[in-house]
Structures are given as C-alpha cells and as structure tokens.
Amino acid sequence: MSLAGLSFNALPPIRLPFRFFITAPIFILLCTGLIAYSGPDLWLGRWQPPMLALVHGFTLGFLTMVMLGALLQLLPVIAGIGIPHPELLAPLTHGLLSVGTLMLLWGFLQFHSSFILAAMWLIAIGLGIYISALFWVLIKHISQGDSLLGFRLAISSLLVVVLLGLALLGRYLGIEWIPPSKHLTNVHALWGLVGWAGILIIAVSYQVIPMFHVAPSFPLIVRRFLTPLIFIGLLLSIALPSYSLPALSLLQGLFALVLLLVIHRRKRKVPDTSIRYWQLGASALLLTSVLFFIPEGIWNEYLDIDKTLLLTALFMYLYLMSIIEGMLLKILPFLSYTHLQQRCLIDFTAMQYIPNMHEFFDKRHGQWLFYSHVISGLILIWVLFQPSYYFIFAIALVLESTGLLVIMLKTMKLYFAVDKKISQAAKDRVEPPTASFKNT
Amino acid sequence: MTSIPDYMTAKHRECDEVFSLAESNAAAGDWLLAAKNWQAFKDELLTHFGQEEETLFPAFEQATGMTNGPTHVMRMEHQQMRALLQDIDQAMKGQDKNTYLGLSETLMVMMQQHNMKEEMMLYPMMAQHLSQGEDIIESFKA
C-alpha cells in the first residue's frame, strides 16, 4: 500500500454522477414509449426487434447508466482513488453511451445498418474509455477490502459483454467475427445480467448493508468465494451451459438467502425504504432461482409462458432494478450531503446551511416510489401472461419513472441552492457588504 | 495483542450499535431510554476521537511526516461530527422526533463515510508504519 496519491477528499464534482443518474429515468420513459407504440406483439418472445430494443434501453440506458455514475463516487471511497481525469472522461463516456444507446435502439427497430454501425462505434469507444479508466484504478488501488475483487470481476464481465455484443452486432452488418448462434446471444445476456450487474451488486452489498444498517458482515466464506465462483460459472457457460446454469442459479439463490439473513440480523431497524428495496430484490432473486429448477415438462403443463422470459423479467425488473432504485434513494442524499460537508471542512461555520438527510429527500416520496415499483413489477408479470394489457404496464412505468425523475430533480435543486448559499457566505466574509462600509 | 485496524474497527461497530439503540428508542418515542443510550454513544464516540487525535494521529504524523494529509481531514471531520452531536442534543431535549431522526440519519452517513476511509486506508497504513501500534492499543485497553 502506498501513501502517494492518497487523497481523502478527492470526490469528483457532483454534477458528473448526477448527469448519469438523471439520464437513467429518461431512458425508462423512452422504453415506455416503445412499449406503448409496439403493442401486445412485443411480449410474444425475446427475439422480436422491439424486445431487443426494450431490453437494451433498459440495461444500457438505465442499469449501466446508474452503475457507471455510482462507480465514479464509490471508487474514491472504496479503492482510495477515483478514475483519472473525471471531468473529461465521465462526460465523454456519458455522451457516447447515451447517443450510442439511442442509435442502437433505432437500429434494432428499423434494421438500419448505418445506425447499428454508429452505435457500435459510439458504445465501443464510450464504454472502452470507462472500462480502461476503471482497470487503471483497480490496478493502482490503495485500499483493502472484500469488495475490490468483486469490482474487478464485474468490470471484467462488462468487457466480455461489450466485446460479445459488438461481435453479435457485427453480424447485422455481415461481419462474421462469430458464427450465427443463439447460444452466444444467451452468453452475452448472462454475462451482462449475472456478471456485470449481478457481481457489482453483490460487491456493493458487502459494503453497504453492514455499514449503513449496522448488520453483521457477510460470512467470510461468502465474501471470499461467491463472486469468483459466479465468474467461473460464467466462463463455463460458454462451453458447458447445461452444467453452469444450474450452478449459477444455485449461487444466486444462496446469495439471496444470505442477503435476507444479514438484513434480518441488522441492528438498525428504523424504517428505511432502501432496505425494503433490498428485501424485495433478494426475494425476487430467490424466487427466480427456485423457479429455474422447475423442469420444462412440468412448467409447460401448468404455465403458459416462456420460462426464460419470465425468469429474465423477474431478475431484471424485480431484482436488479429494485436494488438500483433503492440504492439511488440512498446515494442521492448521501452524495449531496457528503459534497456539501466536504466544502465545509474549510469553512466550518457554513455547516449551518446544510439540510439534514431527511430534508434532502422526503422519506414519504421514497415510500411512494417503492410502492409504485412493486405495483409496476406485478403488472409486468401479469402482462407477460396477458400481453393485451401492455398499456397498463406502460402507464405504471410512466408514473414510476416520472416519480424517480422528480425526486432526483428536487434533491439536485436543493443541493445547488445550498451550494450557492455556502459560496455566497464565503464571499461575504472575504468582501464585507458595501453597505456596512458606508455606515462606518 | 490486538492490531490497530482490528481494535479501532471493532470500536466503530460498538459505536454503531449503541447509536442504533438510541435511534430506535427515539423512533419509538421512549425518550428516557433514548437519552441514556445517546449519552453512552456520545461517551464512546468522544473517547474514540480522543484516542485518535491525541495518540494515533500524532504518532502517524511523526512516522510519515504527513501532517497535512489524511489525519488533517479526519480531524476536521471529527469537528463536524461534534457539531452534529450538539444539534442532536437539542433535538433530544426538545423531544423532536422528526428532527432527531433526520439528524441521526445525517450523522450515520457522515460516520460511515468517515469510517470507510479510516478502516480501508488509514488504519492499515498505521499498522504498516507504526511499529509500536499494538502497544498503543494495549494502553487504550488499560
């Protein structure tokens, strides 16, 4: 461990993560438009072009967008240093990824090769820059902790997802880097959902749950071996999917159980919406893992729905999205407070201007958002069985994403107002108001 | 013999636990018990700050020559937390539940981001640079 480069208050400017966060619900709103426009046919199978567009709008536009924004802030705290040149790299990645994702969605919907090509370049460069910067941080890291290994594996998974995604897109353009195969598409999806998003959430949970909810640490054996085993499972999925999928499903179920147990044993039991999101997510993950083991024969006899579609929806919407939305509710006031508090290290008296956590973010709004997420999640499952009710899901999703957007905007507005007040107070002290000069 | 990271991290957890008790009491409106646990938390926290500011930080600064680095930031954050303690004292006296819970969430956030920096970076560095680290911890236990 080296002392060089250590900086305890080197948080990148708050507008950088805010930029990623604010874009995320806007992509959900776009997805809603797509759901309303595509009608019931969208839900007939996972290979429909509008479904491909919807899934990528959600995974790149929402999930990845929030995760990249959160990593900007998490790394300086967890690894001891942040990404290099954040003021340059973060907006660049954000811009390229946003435009690239839009191009990709349009390319899928219209089968338009020039949009696909543009999307490939934009996403490859945008995520390539970010991934390189993250690897740089994780090589140079100066802290210690169980989360770091998980971060490395999650980012390596993202690299695999991007490379495989590019190769699959290449086939649209007649570039045959890989043979035609639905198996490779499944591998791409698995690495994205279970590797990039799933491993990152596990690594973050090791840190966040014990600290903010005064819960016991996750068992050492889990912290040491779970994420590497998942990563090995993902590697095996390339060659031996029939063995690796049950193993991965078991590992996910195990994590869900341990997570529920750790949460249950927390000492800090004041009502907290973000912990309810964690519980909802863990329950959905457990259910996904149990349903996976129902044999196809029995499944088809009793359930008139594509198994993969239902399990993916449960995993993506009720597990991944629940955790990420719940984390946003914690991260937004946390970041706002931490940034303002760091400013007051120099000017202690300005502490009086900083609102407390509940003033930054009204707890009731968080509860409403949670209920709206539960409702939209249940409606989504219902729509998978009855696609003709798709518009009800679209309405629920509009309400939820608008709610999230409004909560974010309110917190950010308050942040900038207080920030201005602190600057004004500092200025007033350096240059006393002219009126007081006249009086003396 | 206990190492600096082990002992000081365990103390963070002990503080968190008493803090959570006081917070639960306040949330349930049991102000008598809340006041008792809050006082116990404050005593524990201020003792911990004292051990860092008077013993560990100066020893680390002397060993590394870094007087304006991490320990400086940690000292300033201690001051901010002391100010929050006073605000919570006021809310406790006025039995103002909403303000208490808003401020206790704030203190929790501040403590945890502060603890993360100490546990993941500063304490391991102290263990590396202070040869007498375990003796210092023994003196804290006495």
Side-chain angles (χ1 to χ4, degrees), chain A residues 3 268 337 341-342 357, chain B residues 23 77 80 105-106 109 125:
Chain A
L3 289 177
R268 190 167 184 238
Y337 189 87
Q341 173 244 325
Q342 295 285 328
M357 286 286 281
Chain B
E23 196 184 36
E77 290 191 350
Q80 293 185 326
E105 176 77 18
T106 310
V109 158
M125 281 178 191

Side-chain angles (χ1 to χ4, degrees), chain A residues 197-207 226-227 230 252 255 319:
Chain A
I199 293 182
L200 193 66
I201 284 178
I202 294 175
V204 168
S205 74
Y206 294 165
Q207 201 67 40
L226 182 63
T227 53
I230 292 176
Q252 298 294 316
F255 170 66
Y319 170 52

Side-chain angles (χ1 to χ4, degrees), chain B residues 25-40:
Chain B
N25 300 146
D30 187 346
W31 291 102
L32 209 63
L33 205 54
K36 185 175 153 263
N37 283 319
W38 174 248
Q39 190 57 47

